[in-house]
Amino acid sequence: MAQNARLQNLGILVLCVLSFPAMTTAQQSALNLMPLPANVQTGTASLRVDSSFSVAFTGYTEPRLERAGQRFLEQLRKQTGLLFLNKPGDSGKVALVVHTDRASKEVQELGEDESYTLEVTPNGAKLDAANPLSVLRGLQTFLQLVGVSPEGFAAPAITIKDQPRFPWRGLLIDSSRHFTPMDVLKRNLDGMEAVKLNVFHWHISDNQGFRAESKKLPKLTAVGSGGQYYSQEEIRDLIAYARDRGIRIVPEFDMPGHSSSWFVGYPDIASTPGPFKIDEEWGVMDPAMDPTNEKTYKFLDTFIGEMAGLFPDRYFHIGGDEVNGKAWDANPKIQDFKKAHNYKTNEELQTYFSQRVQRLVNKHGKAAIGWDEIFVPGAPKDILIHSWRGTEALAAAAKQGYRGILSNGYYIDLMWSAARHYAVDPLGGAAADLTPEQKQLVLGGEATMWSEYVNWENIDGRIWPRTAAIAERYWSPESVTDANSMYARLDVISQRLEWLGLTHRSQPRKMLHRIAGPATPEEFAALLALAGVLEPVKDYTRGESTSYQAITTTPLNHMVDAVPPESDAGRRFSELVDKFISTSCLDGDARERLRAQLTTWRDNDAKLQPLAQRSFLVKEVASNSQDLSALGTAGLAALDAIAKGQPAPDAWKAQQLAIIEQVKNPKAQLLLIPAPAIQKLVEAAASAGACAPPTT
Amino acid sequence: MAQNARLQNLGILVLCVLSFPAMTTAQQSALNLMPLPANVQTGTASLRVDSSFSVAFTGYTEPRLERAGQRFLEQLRKQTGLLFLNKPGDSGKVALVVHTDRASKEVQELGEDESYTLEVTPNGAKLDAANPLSVLRGLQTFLQLVGVSPEGFAAPAITIKDQPRFPWRGLLIDSSRHFTPMDVLKRNLDGMEAVKLNVFHWHISDNQGFRAESKKLPKLTAVGSGGQYYSQEEIRDLIAYARDRGIRIVPEFDMPGHSSSWFVGYPDIASTPGPFKIDEEWGVMDPAMDPTNEKTYKFLDTFIGEMAGLFPDRYFHIGGDEVNGKAWDANPKIQDFKKAHNYKTNEELQTYFSQRVQRLVNKHGKAAIGWDEIFVPGAPKDILIHSWRGTEALAAAAKQGYRGILSNGYYIDLMWSAARHYAVDPLGGAAADLTPEQKQLVLGGEATMWSEYVNWENIDGRIWPRTAAIAERYWSPESVTDANSMYARLDVISQRLEWLGLTHRSQPRKMLHRIAGPATPEEFAALLALAGVLEPVKDYTRGESTSYQAITTTPLNHMVDAVPPESDAGRRFSELVDKFISTSCLDGDARERLRAQLTTWRDNDAKLQPLAQRSFLVKEVASNSQDLSALGTAGLAALDAIAKGQPAPDAWKAQQLAIIEQVKNPKAQLLLIPAPAIQKLVEAAASAGACAPPTT
């Protein structure tokens, strides 16, 4: 019943959003906000932010708001370098007045009000917020408004009325495949707050390690974690840290599969005899809990009961994905059980397990959330379907009255571009055809940071800045879809996230220094230039490689671990080529910039050679470096051919395309991003009419 | 007596050092060690360091050694990206065996043995250490030996016998002018350990804030700190942290001057009537303790007693510097006291104060250390003179049997080059003429990080990497003086310190992003290019500026706060000009590199202009940017003139030199470093015989 009331609230929110007009791209770009607010009216002039700036709170108050005020000034200090003379609440000239209507829920709930109004004038700013949660959202917007101006730091005059499009805006971090240290988690929660995400989905157990301390079942971490786990004190600390930032923590204990690490200490609940060990490899593993054994449910009753006390959130994620059934097929007793219950398939057996576990979750006061697989006939209506399969699965569930969130399309471990994730909408695809009422059952989505190839060092660079674009998808109106605007603002938010303490820009540079070893400035510049146009291979290519088999202890210190998922330099080069060709190759400025860039690439390999001689980690990318040189040469040849004013011969074109085709093959798990754009140049050079004769 | 025994030990150490032969420059450069060890014998081949690497401890053991082993593997992990399969002490193939003879002192003492022998062969490494302190030193040497090689990470085969030249190797951080957060202190202690410094001199009180919690005199921090102070728990935590790293913490409570902050809560001990406030400005202030009032000594007895219990080190720094006497002159009672005691000068009055305070320090079980001013007739022989005045003062004290350490020449707030500090020797100048016995009284030195213009954000960049060069001065044999070798190794250690967690390379980049605001890659590159050839003005020029008056709350977010004290690009350009001219301007490669660099500089201002229009922080350096452009133009003109093969006319020379002279004027508190080198080019171009006709 309470649940229904919440859903009705959500419905009202969604309608409100739609009533706000969409902004033009120009308006979006001028404001370096991410996510873009639901409604913005820009004014003229701006509010000066200097050392005398202060913030005061009126209306409802609580310690969390005081801390938020201190943190706000601290963040403002970091992003401006100003030292503020006043503490929050000090009297004197107050630049920002925050009014809070009422308290938030004691435990943050799905669908709680996050709306706020922020008005900035040259004389001061006013943030009107429904509750502390809304205050947090509004303060982050204000921080993003403050920038450097010709006269000093300032926030533009503006009126913002804002609220989220979706109530469930999450980031999953997998702390099992690689352990995520507490400081890394905390700085990523800071990043989540900055872009208004509100659910941290903590994938805290899997085959490769059980990471949450259980006092009642201590062997889970004693022998199932390799010594890397979170104490209950640390978990409580992180939950408090998240609450201060308006973030719920939803723990996931994946079962009945993905659970080898449980069985190291408790083999009795497994379907096959032990002994078990913590898995070191990646992939879908055979071990699974025994769904036919009452011991399993007794164990889970104890375990879920304890964890339900530890994690205050209403939702409890029970996983449920990727059970291959081999362990069940191998156990005659389980086969007997299936026959006795007339289960034809292992899916039916898993349905039985899911129903039992969901009842245990309910018994301990929680609602269950799980991957698509838990959506089985007769599942209780309060479950929440977490879809890795896609909008079709989500739509099918919604049509039967089940709520869901989307992660398909937001798998940030697949190394897609920000634009590709950005184009995925939880209400897109099959969900677009749902009725308005059914659409209200789609609550949002989660970016998923599976950690096979990330650790403390490169995780920030995998999550950020792309997750800021995904956060915009979840928060901003459906009409906000301009990828160019997104990239322009993403570049700004990315730097702001570094000021906040994230390391997605600075740590890769340190990794490149490690790859290089001692180097001259010229040598290191050559390595930077190469790294700047490389991207890791996409999707699950890395895991499928036969030449490279990583396990949990494989060092993540190679070039593929250091370079960002998306090459900014590659994207800009591609845009420049498109621009050049769109002018029939007449744009002289674009031509000269292309020529300069291609020349640098052609000559880069020679500069990198000394490093490749000294460092095995550079030697690994020697082929990529030679390929870049080849691309530079091919691109220059194309420009020369274009300059001749007549289509280049077919033989030449075939030769160039063969080179480029070879370059497109991944090497050292890396792609050379400019290849397609240079192919375009070659094709333009060889195509009648594509490029007019140059005007020189 | 114990003291004398210690001094004799020191004497033996010094003699040992002298018995080791000096290394050639080539040997020094090949090994990226800093400080260079006392004795090195290089071997052939190397020890591979991969995931199977492990460390084991034999002989004496204690928890500190276990933590050191864990920290060692953690640092090795950070610098290689390897994940080690074994924990310290695990059985199996052990690559590094550490043998410890005996325990260190319970409280680390001045002159304790820090010697070790490290032998690396392709089959394994062995570290033989006298005690845990020596282990710490040897482990850092091993870490510095490990680097990237063509085959993987490796340490070269080598035998090192090492010990320090001086027993007191310190870094002072002034936490009063700007408060230093705990995490900043800790990462700087990590840096100190990496370069084998062993004394952290904590300047913890001054006019601008009293930072150490006193439970007996709580108003010291309650009203004297502006809320920024260290709790006793934090202080104990830092002391333990330092002990783990083989670092003593010597607190300094500066008195009777530099003490305004004491008087805010306790005006009774001041020489003039209150009320007092925490000073916001820099400089020598008038307030001073009343040396004639018994209340003062009662207060100090209580205070020193409490602090002597908090800080375990034998030495207690009582400051004593820069009393201008105005407060004493203004107080008739103090004048009466002087007459009654027949003191002619305020210096004599301070002598009286010093003697009383030194007795209190002794009473509470400590030895006093203080600035030159405490070296007064009749001072107890166990005091230690900390010389800001120089080697003459130190030599004078040594001749009377007093021990001392040197800071003159190591004031890293003066923005000198690493080479300039490196050239200063505690036993140089007047101390060079001391007898061997007197020389033994010169115990070492301290780099001093006065914090008028540094805060949490730029302090790392002021301390590092220059302090590594100073650390080498204190540790390595006197004969190690080659600045070229030092710079080559400094560049390597600088990157290693970043891996360790220091931010001297990464944070300035973040500051530049703040200065720029949102920028295109080209615009930001232009800002980087300009910043790369700027240095802050030297000595106390900044404080003496009339156009710029900083106080404690002045933002340190300007270009002068971001750029390093020393421009690497400027130094390299100057070397290239010297090389070019030394070949009678015939070196074609050098000429082309000069031309490319000068062209970049000439054209840089145009690229920076858009940023200067948008950001006041860039606008502030618009003149510097125009100057760089002018330098580029002048340099290119000089190259053109040289190409003509005959001396350029005097009028041309005068015109160019006038431009350069104008450029040399500091602007925005910044110097443009290439100016003198370009002046050399101009003079060479105009000088008959300096440059031969080019061979083209």
Side-chain angles (χ1 to χ4, degrees), chain B residues 624-635:
Chain B
N624 310 74
S625 176
Q626 288 152 17
D627 282 357
L628 181 60
S629 214
L631 277 187
T633 303

PDB file of all heavy atoms in Angstrom, chain B residues 624-635:
ATOM      1  N   ASN B 624      52.847  38.532 -19.255  1.00  0.00           N
ATOM      2  CA  ASN B 624      53.877  37.495 -19.339  1.00  0.00           C
ATOM      3  C   ASN B 624      53.786  36.792 -20.684  1.00  0.00           C
ATOM      4  O   ASN B 624      54.801  36.457 -21.296  1.00  0.00           O
ATOM      5  CB  ASN B 624      53.704  36.470 -18.220  1.00  0.00           C
ATOM      6  CG  ASN B 624      53.564  37.103 -16.844  1.00  0.00           C
ATOM      7  OD1 ASN B 624      52.519  37.662 -16.545  1.00  0.00           O
ATOM      8  ND2 ASN B 624      54.601  37.026 -16.026  1.00  0.00           N
ATOM      9  N   SER B 625      52.562  36.555 -21.127  1.00  0.00           N
ATOM     10  CA  SER B 625      52.357  35.851 -22.387  1.00  0.00           C
ATOM     11  C   SER B 625      52.869  36.685 -23.557  1.00  0.00           C
ATOM     12  O   SER B 625      53.533  36.168 -24.467  1.00  0.00           O
ATOM     13  CB  SER B 625      50.869  35.529 -22.554  1.00  0.00           C
ATOM     14  OG  SER B 625      50.626  34.938 -23.804  1.00  0.00           O
ATOM     15  N   GLN B 626      52.577  38.000 -23.529  1.00  0.00           N
ATOM     16  CA  GLN B 626      53.095  38.879 -24.580  1.00  0.00           C
ATOM     17  C   GLN B 626      54.618  38.909 -24.542  1.00  0.00           C
ATOM     18  O   GLN B 626      55.282  38.931 -25.577  1.00  0.00           O
ATOM     19  CB  GLN B 626      52.520  40.285 -24.411  1.00  0.00           C
ATOM     20  CG  GLN B 626      51.034  40.363 -24.773  1.00  0.00           C
ATOM     21  CD  GLN B 626      50.303  41.461 -24.030  1.00  0.00           C
ATOM     22  OE1 GLN B 626      50.929  42.375 -23.477  1.00  0.00           O
ATOM     23  NE2 GLN B 626      48.981  41.371 -24.000  1.00  0.00           N
ATOM     24  N   ASP B 627      55.165  38.909 -23.337  1.00  0.00           N
ATOM     25  CA  ASP B 627      56.621  38.895 -23.198  1.00  0.00           C
ATOM     26  C   ASP B 627      57.224  37.636 -23.818  1.00  0.00           C
ATOM     27  O   ASP B 627      58.280  37.686 -24.457  1.00  0.00           O
ATOM     28  CB  ASP B 627      57.024  38.957 -21.717  1.00  0.00           C
ATOM     29  CG  ASP B 627      56.915  40.368 -21.157  1.00  0.00           C
ATOM     30  OD1 ASP B 627      56.592  41.295 -21.938  1.00  0.00           O
ATOM     31  OD2 ASP B 627      57.149  40.546 -19.953  1.00  0.00           O
ATOM     32  N   LEU B 628      56.554  36.507 -23.609  1.00  0.00           N
ATOM     33  CA  LEU B 628      57.080  35.258 -24.172  1.00  0.00           C
ATOM     34  C   LEU B 628      57.088  35.348 -25.699  1.00  0.00           C
ATOM     35  O   LEU B 628      58.037  34.914 -26.368  1.00  0.00           O
ATOM     36  CB  LEU B 628      56.236  34.074 -23.707  1.00  0.00           C
ATOM     37  CG  LEU B 628      56.694  32.697 -24.222  1.00  0.00           C
ATOM     38  CD1 LEU B 628      58.112  32.390 -23.782  1.00  0.00           C
ATOM     39  CD2 LEU B 628      55.739  31.590 -23.762  1.00  0.00           C
ATOM     40  N   SER B 629      56.034  35.930 -26.222  1.00  0.00           N
ATOM     41  CA  SER B 629      55.957  36.141 -27.666  1.00  0.00           C
ATOM     42  C   SER B 629      57.122  37.034 -28.130  1.00  0.00           C
ATOM     43  O   SER B 629      57.784  36.737 -29.131  1.00  0.00           O
ATOM     44  CB  SER B 629      54.619  36.823 -27.967  1.00  0.00           C
ATOM     45  OG  SER B 629      54.119  36.395 -29.184  1.00  0.00           O
ATOM     46  N   ALA B 630      57.358  38.090 -27.387  1.00  0.00           N
ATOM     47  CA  ALA B 630      58.452  39.009 -27.744  1.00  0.00           C
ATOM     48  C   ALA B 630      59.793  38.296 -27.670  1.00  0.00           C
ATOM     49  O   ALA B 630      60.674  38.501 -28.522  1.00  0.00           O
ATOM     50  CB  ALA B 630      58.435  40.214 -26.801  1.00  0.00           C
ATOM     51  N   LEU B 631      59.964  37.448 -26.676  1.00  0.00           N
ATOM     52  CA  LEU B 631      61.216  36.673 -26.557  1.00  0.00           C
ATOM     53  C   LEU B 631      61.383  35.756 -27.762  1.00  0.00           C
ATOM     54  O   LEU B 631      62.484  35.629 -28.312  1.00  0.00           O
ATOM     55  CB  LEU B 631      61.212  35.840 -25.283  1.00  0.00           C
ATOM     56  CG  LEU B 631      61.612  36.504 -23.970  1.00  0.00           C
ATOM     57  CD1 LEU B 631      61.703  35.444 -22.875  1.00  0.00           C
ATOM     58  CD2 LEU B 631      62.934  37.257 -24.102  1.00  0.00           C
ATOM     59  N   GLY B 632      60.291  35.098 -28.143  1.00  0.00           N
ATOM     60  CA  GLY B 632      60.350  34.207 -29.305  1.00  0.00           C
ATOM     61  C   GLY B 632      60.777  34.975 -30.545  1.00  0.00           C
ATOM     62  O   GLY B 632      61.657  34.540 -31.297  1.00  0.00           O
ATOM     63  N   THR B 633      60.174  36.142 -30.732  1.00  0.00           N
ATOM     64  CA  THR B 633      60.509  36.976 -31.895  1.00  0.00           C
ATOM     65  C   THR B 633      61.979  37.402 -31.852  1.00  0.00           C
ATOM     66  O   THR B 633      62.695  37.319 -32.857  1.00  0.00           O
ATOM     67  CB  THR B 633      59.593  38.212 -31.914  1.00  0.00           C
ATOM     68  OG1 THR B 633      58.233  37.759 -31.934  1.00  0.00           O
ATOM     69  CG2 THR B 633      59.865  39.074 -33.141  1.00  0.00           C
ATOM     70  N   ALA B 634      62.417  37.825 -30.681  1.00  0.00           N
ATOM     71  CA  ALA B 634      63.816  38.261 -30.545  1.00  0.00           C
ATOM     72  C   ALA B 634      64.770  37.106 -30.801  1.00  0.00           C
ATOM     73  O   ALA B 634      65.801  37.255 -31.482  1.00  0.00           O
ATOM     74  CB  ALA B 634      64.048  38.847 -29.149  1.00  0.00           C
ATOM     75  N   GLY B 635      64.447  35.941 -30.283  1.00  0.00           N
ATOM     76  CA  GLY B 635      65.297  34.775 -30.478  1.00  0.00           C
ATOM     77  C   GLY B 635      65.367  34.378 -31.938  1.00  0.00           C
ATOM     78  O   GLY B 635      66.445  34.047 -32.459  1.00  0.00           O
TER      79      GLY B 635
END
